[in-house]
Amino acid sequence: MKKLLITGVSGFLGYHVCQLASTSTQQQWEIYGTYFSHDIQIAGIKLIKTNLAHYQSLKQIFAQIQPDAVIHTAAISQPNYCQNHPDESHAVNVTASINIAELCAEKSIPLAFTSTDLVFDGKNAPYKETDTVNPVNLYGEQKVLAEQGMLAKYPLTAVCRMPLMFGNLTPTATSFLQNFIQTLIAGKELNLFIDEFRTPASGNTAATGLLLVLTKNLQGIIHLGGAERISRYDFGQLMVKTFNLPATGLKACRQADVKMSAPRPQDVSLDSSQAFAWGYQPLFIQQELEAIKKYIQVD
Ligand SMILES: NC(=O)c1ccc[n+]([C@@H]2O[C@H](COP(=O)([O-])OP(=O)(O)OC[C@H]3O[C@@H](n4cnc5c(N)ncnc54)[C@H](OP(=O)(O)O)[C@@H]3O)[C@@H](O)[C@H]2O)c1
């Protein structure tokens, strides 16, 4: 059986990728997953605790496992945290990612890397793969440096730009969905932007896209956005409708109303028509929410 190394399996996306890869009928994998601060057990997955910022540990993992393919989802993924911890986040988001590309290049094995829609400034959406990057925060800058550094070291890297993701809880990670639901159920105010637009996808859909990229051995920059563009506020309205939540707390606000460490672009919707043509088929958001409804506790 071929060996698949997935980094960041204690994270939201990495966990979904693990679940999907371990049940894939297209390709059977022996799966190895890395985690760092959140101890996790996943049935059927061989788990390795490691700090990817330590090059020697990374090198040892590659030498021991000898993976046939890698999906690199691990990152310091919170833009505000990156803005306030530039060196720590650079070591993981940039340096470790480039090191992984170098190690994959040595063996010429497929590598899918998860970048972000936040590489764009939000002024000219929807964005195609060929559009110019111009991040407005440090997290976006780090992802751009990682993309460029990885492609320079290993041009066969698949740089997958992921959209905003949502979904059911994993053992060690949440998505924003759970906080939104709890806030509304508690009768508190949930202020969502009417002027921030994304093309969201569920964790499960995003994982499907990453595995498709690997199976088809795609390379270069690939947008894996969701099926439709939506504002944060309209997303909240769909949630209220789908999960029968109390709507009184849902309030519209604007980006300018909220002060955050990391500046936020207004519209980083992705044009993912290239991936759609390759067979990536995200559901519409209402359908995505219906599909995850059974996992969501709303009482
Ligand atoms: N979530 C989104 O909406 C979104 C949108 C666009 C792009 N992305 C990108 O998609 C990928 C996955 O995002 P996510 O939301 O799943 O992230 P996440 O839930 O924050 O998970 C991050 C993962 O990275 C691991 N990690 C962090 N620092 C590490 C280190 N020094 N050494 C080893 N592992 C480390 C974490 O391990 P521990 O938890 O065990 O410490 C965790 O498993 C990231 O590359 C992110 O930038 C995410």
Side-chain angles (χ1 to χ4, degrees):
M1 233 193 281
K2 286 193 169 182
K3 295 177 191 171
L4 173 62
L5 173 64
I6 304 170
T7 67
V9 297
S10 49
F12 175 75
L13 179 60
Y15 183 81
H16 280 87
V17 176
C18 260
Q19 296 300 309
L20 211 67
S22 61
T23 53
S24 166
T25 45
Q26 271 199 318
Q27 164 87 60
Q28 286 202 321
W29 296 104
E30 181 180 341
I31 303 172
Y32 294 77
T34 74
Y35 64 97
F36 177 39
S37 61
H38 291 99
D39 287 353
I40 187 167
Q41 297 294 323
I42 309 175
I45 312 290
K46 297 181 176 72
L47 291 146
I48 307 148
K49 182 181 175 86
T50 191
N51 182 353
L52 295 174
H54 292 163
Y55 182 57
Q56 285 311 323
S57 314
L58 191 58
K59 231 174 131 176
Q60 206 178 357
I61 287 171
F62 271 75
Q64 273 172 4
I65 298 173
Q66 302 273 338
D68 296 292
V70 176
I71 299 181
H72 174 40
T73 77
I76 296 185
S77 64
Q78 303 301 323
N80 289 334
Y81 187 90
C82 294
Q83 204 78 22
N84 296 323
H85 302 83
D87 295 338
E88 181 191 344
S89 52
H90 186 98
V92 180
N93 291 350
V94 184
T95 313
S97 299
I98 296 173
N99 287 338
I100 287 173
E102 198 167 26
L103 288 163
C104 290
E106 281 173 16
K107 303 279 179 192
S108 295
I109 55 171
L111 166 63
F113 164 62
T114 50
S115 186
T116 174
D117 49 9
L118 293 175
V119 295
F120 296 113
D121 62 15
K123 294 177 183 160
N124 290 296
Y127 291 98
K128 287 188 191 313
E129 287 83 349
T130 45
D131 286 328
T132 307
V133 295
N134 185 29
V136 301
N137 57 41
L138 194 60
Y139 167 73
E141 280 175 34
Q142 290 174 346
K143 287 291 190 177
V144 168
L145 289 174
E147 288 186 354
Q148 293 170 349
M150 292 173 85
L151 287 168
K153 290 273 183 214
Y154 189 34
L156 303 187
T157 304
V159 169
C160 303
R161 295 200 181 124
M162 311 309 291
L164 179 68
M165 289 178 275
F166 59 93
N168 47 309
L169 286 172
T170 79
T172 47
T174 54
S175 94
F176 63 87
L177 215 57
Q178 283 73 27
N179 286 338
F180 283 11
I181 291 169
Q182 291 316 320
T183 305
L184 290 176
I185 287 175
K188 294 184 195 154
E189 263 192 22
L190 178 64
N191 292 293
L192 296 180
F193 299 131
I194 50 170
D195 59 349
E196 184 176 306
F197 297 86
R198 312 286 284 264
T199 35
S202 72
N204 190 52
T205 292
T208 314
L210 286 170
L211 287 174
L212 179 93
V213 164
L214 215 59
T215 316
K216 289 196 176 283
N217 207 2
L218 303 175
Q219 292 136 18
I221 295 173
I222 300 156
H223 286 182
L224 292 179
E228 59 189 317
R229 169 183 181 269
I230 193 168
S231 73
R232 292 255 185 188
Y233 179 77
D234 287 342
F235 187 97
Q237 283 197 314
L238 276 184
M239 266 176 42
V240 164
K241 184 173 149 197
T242 313
F243 303 136
N244 295 319
L245 299 169
T248 39
L250 185 61
K251 307 282 180 213
C253 73
R254 294 184 173 275
Q255 282 186 335
D257 300 334
V258 182
K259 177 103 191 76
M260 275 178 285
S261 306
R264 301 166 73 104
Q266 238 172 12
D267 185 351
V268 289
S269 301
L270 295 175
D271 176 337
S272 306
S273 44
Q274 183 69 257
F276 298 162
W278 281 321
Y280 174 55
Q281 294 179 315
L283 300 174
F284 287 102
I285 296 162
Q286 174 88 52
Q287 296 171 297
E288 293 266 38
L289 290 173
E290 293 287 354
I292 57 179
K293 196 173 172 178
K294 58 178 178 285
Y295 302 107
I296 299 282
Q297 196 155 358
V298 288
D299 44 28

